[in-house]
Amino acid sequence: MIHPWLPNLKSKDRILSEMGINEEKLFSDIPHEIRLKGELNLPKVMSELEIKRKLNMLKEKNVKLKYPPFIGGGVCPHYVHEAVKFLISRSEFYTAYTPYQPEISQGILQALYEYQSIMAELLEMDVVNSSMYDWGSSLAEAVLMGFRINGRKKVIIPELINPNHEKVLRTWVEPRGINLIKVKPSNDGTIDMNDLLNKVGDDISSIYIQQPNFYGIFEKNIEEIVDIAKKKRIVTIMGVNPLALSLIKPPGVYDVDIAVGEGQELGLPLNFGGPYMGIMAVRWDAKLVRQMPGRIVGKTLDDKKRPGYTLILQTREQFARREKATSNITTNEALMAIANAVYLSLLGKNGFKELGEEIYRRSHYAAERFIELGASKKFEGDFFEEFAVSFQKPYEKIHNKLLEHGIHGGLRLNDMDALFCVTEVHSKEAIDELVSIVGEI
């Protein structure tokens, strides 16, 4: 019987032979030990009604949480205004994949231009693209930019970098022969300047600073690091949590070359792994701007002197550059970028500052409560939103006990340590109950 959706399923061998492809060769890059042995264990064919019932049964197995999760690791829960959800659900945005024909995509182009403008003001950087997949891929692209500019193959990163970002970075740069060199942290969780100075040389392509770092700790020697890098013509890359910019200096103030970050905390709800939104910006330097991946939307005038929007510096592979393109990214998170723009517009300058202060207060209140129990902070430096706690009992036991009460605890770091995230959605009641249950153990 011919499959209703896959009519060529029964004739796959003939199709492969016609194409001159050997099936074994087709999958040669996949190690034998992880290949599927035998047939897929698929359920019997079900009707639509049966499928809905099955999915609802599976859904009921999920743990029902009393409060938003306290797990972070660079992705944190925030309140997303209904206006954000409503506006990005409009068909003009929701179905507009990407402006391949800019002359007839004025609406989406203007929305992305607004995103770029708002983000440039927030970062105090000159040129912002729109946009990248996530923080990790933005960082990887920034490192490759530095490599294309100076041709050097060593990159300095902090030991307390987000491990997920590091994995993405290694995947992208190691095939190019680029080596990552880690700098140790000092006792307060910030970059050890002595270790950095010992590793900085004329063969370093770029230096990456994460602000705050994976453990939520604010770096405090950014001016000194940037100054050291500039003297040796090293590209400086600063990764930022955009919400933290409500309290700290933006990357543009430090005169860094490239800023990257994650837009998830600006109006994007938690999902099962995405979608996220990578931020990338550079200072006004032709060498940097020409090397940027992704899209840059510009504002111009048409032949009748009316304002219009267009893509500029189209150095992506679909356009004229082809194999000489700066990047092989073939899409962008346009809808997510628009959500960021709507979210920031709704908050405004004062609301944005108030939100950051509220997150700072609540996260510090939670940390103080843990200390009262006899737990300790893993690092003593000042922090924002996330903080690591060391317990006297195995954290797995604590975490399971919290789940029994409908509370999702922090991110397990090792046997005794966990990383907690506290934002504006975590009430005093939620924090107190979290600490109280931990105290019982």
Side-chain angles (χ1 to χ4, degrees):
M1 177 181 174
I2 296 176
H3 195 285
W5 300 325
L6 304 171
N8 294 325
L9 194 64
K10 294 293 183 182
S11 56
K12 67 173 184 176
D13 295 331
R14 183 179 65 82
I15 293 170
L16 290 174
S17 61
E18 287 288 334
M19 296 173 66
I21 298 174
N22 177 279
E23 186 170 327
E24 177 63 30
K25 188 175 181 181
L26 190 65
F27 298 104
S28 61
D29 289 337
I30 302 174
H32 283 276
E33 59 268 21
I34 65 170
R35 293 190 198 181
L36 179 69
K37 310 295 191 297
E39 298 294 321
L40 285 169
N41 182 24
L42 297 174
K44 67 179 182 67
V45 176
M46 292 185 285
S47 67
E48 184 176 323
L49 178 61
E50 289 173 318
I51 291 171
K52 284 188 174 181
R53 286 173 179 165
K54 179 71 173 177
L55 291 175
N56 283 329
M57 286 174 58
L58 293 172
K59 186 176 70 174
E60 290 303 312
K61 293 183 177 181
N62 289 336
V63 174
K64 292 180 173 60
L65 300 178
K66 291 179 66 175
Y67 310 111
F70 288 93
I71 191 170
V75 179
C76 298
H78 295 283
Y79 180 72
V80 181
H81 304 272
E82 289 300 319
V84 176
K85 302 174 187 177
F86 175 79
L87 288 173
I88 66 170
S89 295
R90 289 184 60 91
S91 60
E92 303 97 310
F93 297 136
Y94 198 69
T95 61
Y97 162 63
T98 194
Y100 280 116
Q101 293 81 34
E103 66 278 2
I104 59 171
S105 303
Q106 288 298 300
I108 191 75
L109 284 171
Q110 182 176 358
L112 291 175
Y113 180 83
E114 297 299 336
Y115 158 79
Q116 290 177 181
S117 302
I118 293 170
M119 198 59 68
E121 185 176 352
L122 179 63
L123 300 169
E124 291 196 26
M125 299 290 284
D126 300 310
V127 183
V128 179
N129 72 4
S130 59
S131 52
M132 311 297 288
Y133 291 137
D134 54 17
W135 189 330
S137 60
S138 294
L139 171 58
E141 289 281 11
V143 168
L144 291 178
M145 284 174 62
F147 168 64
R148 291 193 296 269
I149 289 170
N150 57 35
R152 303 172 187 172
K153 289 194 171 184
K154 289 184 179 179
V155 175
I156 291 178
I157 62 173
E159 195 170 290
L160 301 188
I161 184 178
N162 185 311
N164 297 316
H165 301 166
E166 183 187 346
K167 288 178 183 177
V168 174
L169 178 60
R170 288 189 182 278
T171 301
W172 283 47
V173 305
E174 286 184 349
R176 303 286 189 97
I178 298 173
N179 298 314
L180 302 180
I181 301 169
K182 287 190 175 182
V183 177
K184 297 176 183 178
S186 56
N187 293 333
D188 62 0
T190 61
I191 289 174
D192 186 318
M193 292 303 296
N194 290 327
D195 191 39
L196 176 70
L197 288 169
N198 289 334
K199 291 173 178 174
V200 170
D202 295 329
D203 57 348
I204 301 298
S205 173
S206 56
I207 293 178
Y208 174 61
I209 310 160
Q210 184 173 327
Q211 176 73 329
N213 64 29
F214 181 65
Y215 293 91
I217 303 295
F218 286 124
E219 290 293 345
K220 60 185 182 182
N221 297 306
I222 298 175
E223 293 98 335
E224 187 179 351
I225 294 171
V226 173
D227 185 55
I228 292 167
K230 288 189 179 298
K231 287 177 181 177
K232 292 188 175 291
R233 299 180 183 274
I234 298 171
V235 175
T236 49
I237 305 167
M238 184 171 169
V240 294
N241 172 349
L243 271 182
L245 298 180
S246 58
L247 303 176
I248 61 175
K249 293 178 182 178
V253 171
Y254 299 106
D255 197 31
V256 298
D257 297 313
I258 308 171
V260 298
E262 175 60 64
Q264 179 272 324
E265 299 203 55
L266 302 178
L268 305 184
L270 295 182
N271 292 294
F272 292 91
Y276 300 137
M277 213 293 302
I279 299 166
M280 174 176 273
V282 301
R283 61 180 177 81
W284 186 254
D285 183 317
K287 288 181 180 179
L288 293 165
V289 177
R290 293 291 300 181
Q291 292 297 333
M292 286 186 82
R295 296 163 173 78
I296 301 174
V297 181
K299 186 176 182 180
T300 185
L301 298 174
D302 66 11
D303 57 355
K304 295 181 181 178
K305 305 300 180 184
R306 295 174 301 189
Y309 301 87
T310 184
L311 292 179
I312 59 175
L313 291 176
Q314 299 179 23
T315 52
R316 299 170 62 250
E317 84 296 336
Q318 280 105 317
F319 299 104
R321 299 283 292 176
R322 300 294 180 178
E323 73 278 0
K324 296 179 182 179
T326 57
S327 170
N328 286 315
I329 280 187
T330 59
T331 185
N332 71 73
E333 300 298 316
L335 192 66
M336 305 299 103
I338 294 168
N340 284 182
V342 175
Y343 180 84
L344 288 169
S345 299
L346 284 169
L347 280 177
K349 185 177 181 179
N350 292 333
F352 185 69
K353 188 173 185 295
E354 289 172 9
L355 175 61
E357 291 172 345
E358 191 64 32
I359 292 170
Y360 183 88
R361 282 194 293 268
R362 295 189 187 207
S363 57
H364 280 68
Y365 171 75
E368 289 166 5
R369 290 297 318 276
F370 277 125
I371 292 170
E372 290 172 5
L373 285 181
S376 61
K377 287 197 299 178
K378 190 174 179 67
F379 298 105
E380 290 305 316
D382 196 12
F383 64 92
F384 177 80
E385 194 172 58
E386 299 192 67
F387 56 94
V389 181
S390 297
F391 296 99
Q392 297 172 4
K393 296 284 180 73
Y395 179 68
E396 187 174 357
K397 181 179 180 181
I398 296 171
H399 192 78
N400 292 335
K401 184 72 172 178
L402 288 168
L403 286 176
E404 290 175 11
H405 288 78
I407 297 175
H408 197 299
L411 175 67
R412 182 177 177 271
L413 299 173
N414 53 47
D415 289 345
M416 312 299 281
D417 300 340
L419 184 68
F420 285 84
C421 174
V422 176
T423 73
E424 80 283 1
V425 299
H426 297 109
S427 64
K428 183 177 181 296
E429 175 192 15
I431 296 169
D432 288 343
E433 187 171 347
L434 166 76
V435 176
S436 175
I437 295 168
V438 173
E440 293 174 10
I441 301 174

PDB file of all heavy atoms in Angstrom, residues 320-334:
ATOM      1  N   ALA A 320      24.312  38.579  -2.948  1.00  0.00           N
ATOM      2  CA  ALA A 320      25.403  38.622  -3.924  1.00  0.00           C
ATOM      3  C   ALA A 320      26.680  37.942  -3.440  1.00  0.00           C
ATOM      4  O   ALA A 320      27.469  37.455  -4.251  1.00  0.00           O
ATOM      5  CB  ALA A 320      25.691  40.073  -4.289  1.00  0.00           C
ATOM      6  N   ARG A 321      26.909  37.880  -2.151  1.00  0.00           N
ATOM      7  CA  ARG A 321      28.201  37.407  -1.645  1.00  0.00           C
ATOM      8  C   ARG A 321      28.398  35.899  -1.813  1.00  0.00           C
ATOM      9  O   ARG A 321      29.505  35.424  -1.955  1.00  0.00           O
ATOM     10  CB  ARG A 321      28.348  37.780  -0.170  1.00  0.00           C
ATOM     11  CG  ARG A 321      28.319  39.264   0.106  1.00  0.00           C
ATOM     12  CD  ARG A 321      29.606  39.947  -0.241  1.00  0.00           C
ATOM     13  NE  ARG A 321      30.687  39.533   0.649  1.00  0.00           N
ATOM     14  CZ  ARG A 321      31.932  39.933   0.516  1.00  0.00           C
ATOM     15  NH1 ARG A 321      32.265  40.727  -0.482  1.00  0.00           N
ATOM     16  NH2 ARG A 321      32.856  39.534   1.363  1.00  0.00           N
ATOM     17  N   ARG A 322      27.316  35.137  -1.733  1.00  0.00           N
ATOM     18  CA  ARG A 322      27.402  33.687  -1.861  1.00  0.00           C
ATOM     19  C   ARG A 322      28.461  33.085  -0.935  1.00  0.00           C
ATOM     20  O   ARG A 322      28.435  33.283   0.254  1.00  0.00           O
ATOM     21  CB  ARG A 322      27.668  33.300  -3.329  1.00  0.00           C
ATOM     22  CG  ARG A 322      26.570  33.768  -4.288  1.00  0.00           C
ATOM     23  CD  ARG A 322      25.271  33.048  -4.000  1.00  0.00           C
ATOM     24  NE  ARG A 322      24.229  33.509  -4.919  1.00  0.00           N
ATOM     25  CZ  ARG A 322      22.987  33.013  -4.920  1.00  0.00           C
ATOM     26  NH1 ARG A 322      22.675  32.064  -4.083  1.00  0.00           N
ATOM     27  NH2 ARG A 322      22.090  33.473  -5.746  1.00  0.00           N
ATOM     28  N   GLU A 323      29.445  32.364  -1.489  1.00  0.00           N
ATOM     29  CA  GLU A 323      30.435  31.686  -0.654  1.00  0.00           C
ATOM     30  C   GLU A 323      31.352  32.648   0.079  1.00  0.00           C
ATOM     31  O   GLU A 323      32.062  32.258   1.011  1.00  0.00           O
ATOM     32  CB  GLU A 323      31.279  30.711  -1.494  1.00  0.00           C
ATOM     33  CG  GLU A 323      32.298  31.355  -2.425  1.00  0.00           C
ATOM     34  CD  GLU A 323      31.686  31.818  -3.739  1.00  0.00           C
ATOM     35  OE1 GLU A 323      30.461  31.640  -3.927  1.00  0.00           O
ATOM     36  OE2 GLU A 323      32.432  32.348  -4.577  1.00  0.00           O
ATOM     37  N   LYS A 324      31.341  33.929  -0.302  1.00  0.00           N
ATOM     38  CA  LYS A 324      32.165  34.922   0.380  1.00  0.00           C
ATOM     39  C   LYS A 324      31.396  35.617   1.514  1.00  0.00           C
ATOM     40  O   LYS A 324      31.878  36.576   2.093  1.00  0.00           O
ATOM     41  CB  LYS A 324      32.659  35.966  -0.614  1.00  0.00           C
ATOM     42  CG  LYS A 324      33.593  35.407  -1.686  1.00  0.00           C
ATOM     43  CD  LYS A 324      34.021  36.493  -2.651  1.00  0.00           C
ATOM     44  CE  LYS A 324      34.924  35.920  -3.751  1.00  0.00           C
ATOM     45  NZ  LYS A 324      35.324  36.968  -4.725  1.00  0.00           N
ATOM     46  N   ALA A 325      30.218  35.119   1.818  1.00  0.00           N
ATOM     47  CA  ALA A 325      29.385  35.745   2.844  1.00  0.00           C
ATOM     48  C   ALA A 325      30.047  35.672   4.216  1.00  0.00           C
ATOM     49  O   ALA A 325      30.855  34.780   4.489  1.00  0.00           O
ATOM     50  CB  ALA A 325      28.024  35.059   2.906  1.00  0.00           C
ATOM     51  N   THR A 326      29.701  36.624   5.075  1.00  0.00           N
ATOM     52  CA  THR A 326      30.258  36.635   6.431  1.00  0.00           C
ATOM     53  C   THR A 326      29.665  35.536   7.293  1.00  0.00           C
ATOM     54  O   THR A 326      30.238  35.149   8.302  1.00  0.00           O
ATOM     55  CB  THR A 326      29.971  37.987   7.117  1.00  0.00           C
ATOM     56  OG1 THR A 326      28.561  38.210   7.115  1.00  0.00           O
ATOM     57  CG2 THR A 326      30.660  39.113   6.388  1.00  0.00           C
ATOM     58  N   SER A 327      28.462  35.032   6.927  1.00  0.00           N
ATOM     59  CA  SER A 327      27.778  34.060   7.771  1.00  0.00           C
ATOM     60  C   SER A 327      26.876  33.196   6.915  1.00  0.00           C
ATOM     61  O   SER A 327      26.422  33.603   5.854  1.00  0.00           O
ATOM     62  CB  SER A 327      26.956  34.771   8.844  1.00  0.00           C
ATOM     63  OG  SER A 327      26.120  33.851   9.510  1.00  0.00           O
ATOM     64  N   ASN A 328      26.615  31.995   7.394  1.00  0.00           N
ATOM     65  CA  ASN A 328      25.676  31.107   6.719  1.00  0.00           C
ATOM     66  C   ASN A 328      24.331  31.043   7.421  1.00  0.00           C
ATOM     67  O   ASN A 328      23.529  30.154   7.155  1.00  0.00           O
ATOM     68  CB  ASN A 328      26.270  29.693   6.604  1.00  0.00           C
ATOM     69  CG  ASN A 328      27.355  29.641   5.548  1.00  0.00           C
ATOM     70  OD1 ASN A 328      27.184  30.183   4.462  1.00  0.00           O
ATOM     71  ND2 ASN A 328      28.471  29.018   5.861  1.00  0.00           N
ATOM     72  N   ILE A 329      24.089  31.950   8.342  1.00  0.00           N
ATOM     73  CA  ILE A 329      22.769  32.022   8.966  1.00  0.00           C
ATOM     74  C   ILE A 329      21.750  32.407   7.909  1.00  0.00           C
ATOM     75  O   ILE A 329      21.918  33.402   7.199  1.00  0.00           O
ATOM     76  CB  ILE A 329      22.762  33.032  10.128  1.00  0.00           C
ATOM     77  CG1 ILE A 329      23.371  32.388  11.374  1.00  0.00           C
ATOM     78  CG2 ILE A 329      21.361  33.506  10.433  1.00  0.00           C
ATOM     79  CD1 ILE A 329      23.273  33.215  12.625  1.00  0.00           C
ATOM     80  N   THR A 330      20.696  31.605   7.783  1.00  0.00           N
ATOM     81  CA  THR A 330      19.744  31.837   6.700  1.00  0.00           C
ATOM     82  C   THR A 330      18.402  32.378   7.179  1.00  0.00           C
ATOM     83  O   THR A 330      17.478  32.521   6.406  1.00  0.00           O
ATOM     84  CB  THR A 330      19.480  30.524   5.951  1.00  0.00           C
ATOM     85  OG1 THR A 330      18.958  29.561   6.867  1.00  0.00           O
ATOM     86  CG2 THR A 330      20.755  29.994   5.349  1.00  0.00           C
ATOM     87  N   THR A 331      18.293  32.648   8.445  1.00  0.00           N
ATOM     88  CA  THR A 331      17.036  33.191   8.954  1.00  0.00           C
ATOM     89  C   THR A 331      17.348  34.181  10.058  1.00  0.00           C
ATOM     90  O   THR A 331      18.493  34.429  10.390  1.00  0.00           O
ATOM     91  CB  THR A 331      16.130  32.073   9.489  1.00  0.00           C
ATOM     92  OG1 THR A 331      14.872  32.644   9.868  1.00  0.00           O
ATOM     93  CG2 THR A 331      16.723  31.412  10.716  1.00  0.00           C
ATOM     94  N   ASN A 332      16.334  34.768  10.637  1.00  0.00           N
ATOM     95  CA  ASN A 332      16.522  35.591  11.822  1.00  0.00           C
ATOM     96  C   ASN A 332      15.282  35.474  12.694  1.00  0.00           C
ATOM     97  O   ASN A 332      14.240  35.004  12.243  1.00  0.00           O
ATOM     98  CB  ASN A 332      16.789  37.052  11.433  1.00  0.00           C
ATOM     99  CG  ASN A 332      15.561  37.735  10.884  1.00  0.00           C
ATOM    100  OD1 ASN A 332      14.641  38.054  11.622  1.00  0.00           O
ATOM    101  ND2 ASN A 332      15.516  37.961   9.588  1.00  0.00           N
ATOM    102  N   GLU A 333      15.414  35.866  13.917  1.00  0.00           N
ATOM    103  CA  GLU A 333      14.292  35.780  14.860  1.00  0.00           C
ATOM    104  C   GLU A 333      13.482  37.077  14.801  1.00  0.00           C
ATOM    105  O   GLU A 333      13.346  37.799  15.798  1.00  0.00           O
ATOM    106  CB  GLU A 333      14.826  35.517  16.271  1.00  0.00           C
ATOM    107  CG  GLU A 333      15.620  34.237  16.409  1.00  0.00           C
ATOM    108  CD  GLU A 333      14.790  33.010  16.105  1.00  0.00           C
ATOM    109  OE1 GLU A 333      13.638  32.930  16.560  1.00  0.00           O
ATOM    110  OE2 GLU A 333      15.279  32.132  15.376  1.00  0.00           O
ATOM    111  N   ALA A 334      12.930  37.360  13.629  1.00  0.00           N
ATOM    112  CA  ALA A 334      12.244  38.642  13.409  1.00  0.00           C
ATOM    113  C   ALA A 334      11.080  38.838  14.376  1.00  0.00           C
ATOM    114  O   ALA A 334      10.921  39.915  14.964  1.00  0.00           O
ATOM    115  CB  ALA A 334      11.753  38.729  11.966  1.00  0.00           C
TER     116      ALA A 334
END
